[in-house]
Amino acid sequence: ETGVTQSPTHLIKTRGQQVTLRCSSQSGHNTVSWYQQALGQGPQFIFQYYREEENGRGNFPPRFSGLQFPNYSSELNVNALLLGDSALYLCASSLAQTGENTGELFFGEGSRLTV
Amino acid sequence: DAKTTQPTSMDCAEGRAANLPCNHSTISGNEYVYWYRQIHSQGPQYIIHGLKNNETNEMASLIITEDRKSSTLILPHATLRDTAVYYCIVRVYSGNTPLVFGKGTRLSVIA
């Protein structure tokens, strides 16, 4: 148990729709990052939030967006869903002193999206 | 792209030591070696990390060669529950750099 919870665990959407995935960080953690894991592949970094601001982004288009709330929980939003967005979406939390991700990441069990 | 190379799969007998190799020949001086594992249908789990000295914790040992171009993760007494995909990652310890996962090594522990 990492203390990182994600919802929903599974969901099915239609191409062109929008989806919101949610993540509750481990208590005391102020940084959250999101990863996409396609079947048979390692997780790929989407973006990271520290103190409610995005402070790092991977090679994902703008239709992937996020939010971090004052309680450090987070959302991942994906607009205009494509078939290729089908994947396991993982949230990870960590404690950073100055926005620098120095420690280990604690992952949730993911949200599996099928488009 | 991942800066590490790992074998695609390995088998290990239950109760024996599992030795998982990783090549990282382009590692920079300020990059650490991290190991995570992912058990089926779960999120990745941190195992251990190190810079140049060998490290040991309750889960595993990490042996890093003197030139730091390769490392080995050792699970001293593998159990069936250690069956997972193991990822070797190099990453700077500070900064906003994310984890860059490759495809990892699928370890199967056999009874």
Side-chain angles (χ1 to χ4, degrees), chain A residues 35 37 41 99 101-102 105 108, chain B residues 36 38 43 91 93 95-96 99:
Chain A
Y35 288 77
Q37 186 173 24
Q41 305 294 317
N101 214 341
T102 60
L105 270 62
Chain B
Y36 281 74
Q38 188 172 23
R91 174 175 174 260
Y93 188 70
N96 298 330
L99 296 173

Side-chain angles (χ1 to χ4, degrees), chain B residues 46-96:
Chain B
Y46 166 83
I47 301 173
I48 198 168
H49 74 278
L51 181 62
K52 55 183 178 181
N53 297 319
N54 298 338
E55 301 288 345
T56 296
N57 64 19
E58 65 278 4
M59 289 183 67
S61 295
L62 173 60
I63 308 298
I64 302 174
T65 58
E66 191 169 345
D67 63 7
R68 302 209 323 123
K69 292 185 177 181
S70 66
S71 61
T72 301
L73 179 74
I74 301 173
L75 308 179
H77 305 287
T79 71
L80 299 179
R81 289 183 297 177
D82 292 322
T83 293
V85 177
Y86 287 77
Y87 296 99
C88 170
I89 299 165
V90 296
R91 174 175 174 260
V92 294
Y93 188 70
S94 61
N96 298 330

Side-chain angles (χ1 to χ4, degrees), chain A residues 21-44:
Chain A
L21 308 177
R22 295 178 175 82
C23 173
S24 177
S25 302
Q26 184 177 99
S27 177
H29 283 184
N30 57 12
T31 301
V32 65
S33 50
W34 286 88
Y35 288 77
Q36 179 196 66
Q37 186 173 24
L39 200 61
Q41 305 294 317
Q44 301 298 307

Side-chain angles (χ1 to χ4, degrees), chain A residues 35 37 40-45 48 55-56 88 90 99-110, chain B residues 34 36 38 41-46 49 87 91-103 106:
Chain A
Y35 288 77
Q37 186 173 24
Q41 305 294 317
Q44 301 298 307
F45 175 69
Q48 175 177 290
N55 73 341
L88 180 68
L90 295 159
E100 296 183 340
N101 214 341
T102 60
E104 64 184 273
L105 270 62
F106 295 84
F107 284 85
E109 298 204 350
Chain B
Y34 285 78
Y36 281 74
Q38 188 172 23
S41 298
Q42 297 183 19
Q45 175 191 23
Y46 166 83
H49 74 278
Y87 296 99
R91 174 175 174 260
V92 294
Y93 188 70
S94 61
N96 298 330
T97 51
L99 296 173
V100 179
F101 290 83
K103 291 189 176 182
R106 181 171 298 278

Side-chain angles (χ1 to χ4, degrees), chain A residues 29-102:
Chain A
H29 283 184
N30 57 12
T31 301
V32 65
S33 50
W34 286 88
Y35 288 77
Q36 179 196 66
Q37 186 173 24
L39 200 61
Q41 305 294 317
Q44 301 298 307
F45 175 69
I46 302 175
F47 45 56
Q48 175 177 290
Y49 279 80
Y50 170 70
R51 291 186 175 176
E52 304 177 53
E53 291 193 4
E54 183 181 301
N55 73 341
R57 189 176 185 93
N59 189 26
F60 281 82
R63 59 190 184 85
F64 286 78
S65 63
L67 284 172
Q68 186 183 31
F69 300 100
N71 65 356
Y72 302 129
S73 65
S74 176
E75 286 183 355
L76 164 66
N77 298 290
V78 187
N79 293 323
L81 284 167
L82 303 174
L83 299 181
D85 294 332
S86 294
L88 180 68
Y89 288 85
L90 295 159
C91 167
S93 74
S94 59
L95 179 62
Q97 298 300 325
T98 57
E100 296 183 340
N101 214 341
T102 60

